[in-house]
Amino acid sequence: MYLHPHRKNSLLWVVVWLLASLGVVSPSLAATHLRVGVYANPPLQSFSEDGIPEGLVIDILETIAHQEGWQLTYVPCIWDECLAMLEAGEIDLLGAIAYTAERTQRFTFNQETLLNNWGQVYTRNDDQLESVLDLEGKRIAILRNDIHASALQNLLASFNIAAQWVETDSYATVFAMTASGDVDAGVVNHFFEMQNADVYGLHPTPIIFNPIEIRFAATKDA
């Protein structure tokens, strides 16, 4: 997803103002040194080829850290590892995580929604999928422990549709496997596909589902 610098800066300051006014993380996170988990989910967050954290979530955290006097240490992790590390207190904060009632039992979330997101099924341009009924028997690549993958699995189960699920460690691998033909389709979130679908030459299907609220999460009772 490309944003004109002026639009990006405007969006950034609006979001920062909202988060600062309503609490970016739990008030219990009073430490000035925070370990922040970063998984590959561009354009929200990722590491550059030079190992530098980047993305909208990183920009927001850096701005707030400057205002609040925080020192941030970015810890690379794959998605399911990030969740386990946050729950175990091995990292203090995780950005770009979907807010759910179940997850409030495991993590502390900020009050204000950062962004709204949703899941979508993608495929190659020569393989048309029009509805969930077309997913019967298909090989579908998903991110391990992804909230959108779980939502699609539950949706297909409700229609008694059987698919073959192929778990991966990143959305990039989901798209790579879909583009190469190793699977018939892949599930990613809207923001990831906006920046990366054209790179892999993939086609959006009408199968859109699972609208979610993205927030920040901290270790429970940190």
Side-chain angles (χ1 to χ4, degrees), residues 27-197:
S28 59
L29 269 182
T32 57
H33 182 194
L34 299 177
R35 299 162 298 174
V36 181
V38 178
Y39 67 99
N41 187 9
L44 299 182
Q45 60 177 14
S46 62
F47 281 95
S48 69
E49 293 182 357
D50 297 327
I52 299 174
E54 60 184 9
L56 179 61
V57 168
I58 304 300
D59 291 344
I60 292 170
L61 283 177
E62 287 288 339
T63 302
I64 296 175
H66 177 74
Q67 294 177 344
E68 300 296 327
W70 294 349
Q71 178 184 351
L72 303 179
T73 297
Y74 294 103
V75 181
C77 48
I78 60 176
W79 172 243
D80 54 341
E81 289 179 346
C82 287
L83 295 176
M85 292 171 68
L86 185 64
E87 190 166 19
E90 296 173 2
I91 56 177
D92 305 301
L93 190 64
L94 183 61
I97 177 173
Y99 172 85
T100 68
E102 183 275 332
R103 284 178 175 170
T104 61
Q105 304 302 311
R106 303 168 59 193
F107 312 118
T108 298
F109 287 84
N110 67 293
Q111 296 179 353
E112 179 67 17
T113 296
L114 173 62
L115 296 165
N116 291 305
N117 208 353
W118 55 86
Q120 190 164 4
V121 176
Y122 270 72
T123 188
R124 295 176 301 282
N125 290 331
D126 59 351
D127 190 2
Q128 299 297 317
L129 302 174
E130 299 299 327
S131 75
V132 294
L133 300 178
D134 296 324
L135 297 179
E136 176 71 45
K138 298 294 187 182
R139 297 164 299 162
I140 305 174
I142 57 175
L143 174 64
R144 185 177 296 108
N145 287 330
D146 181 42
I147 191 170
H148 299 303
S150 297
L152 185 62
Q153 288 173 324
N154 292 335
L155 179 62
L156 265 60
S158 70
F159 285 97
N160 293 318
I161 297 173
Q164 302 176 42
W165 305 100
V166 181
E167 293 187 337
T168 73
D169 290 333
S170 70
Y171 281 140
T173 304
V174 168
F175 265 5
M177 294 184 68
T178 306
S180 67
D182 290 335
V183 296
D184 301 303
V187 176
V188 300
N189 71 52
H190 171 65
F191 283 101
F192 182 85
E193 64 84 4
M194 286 182 66
Q195 185 177 50
N196 297 283

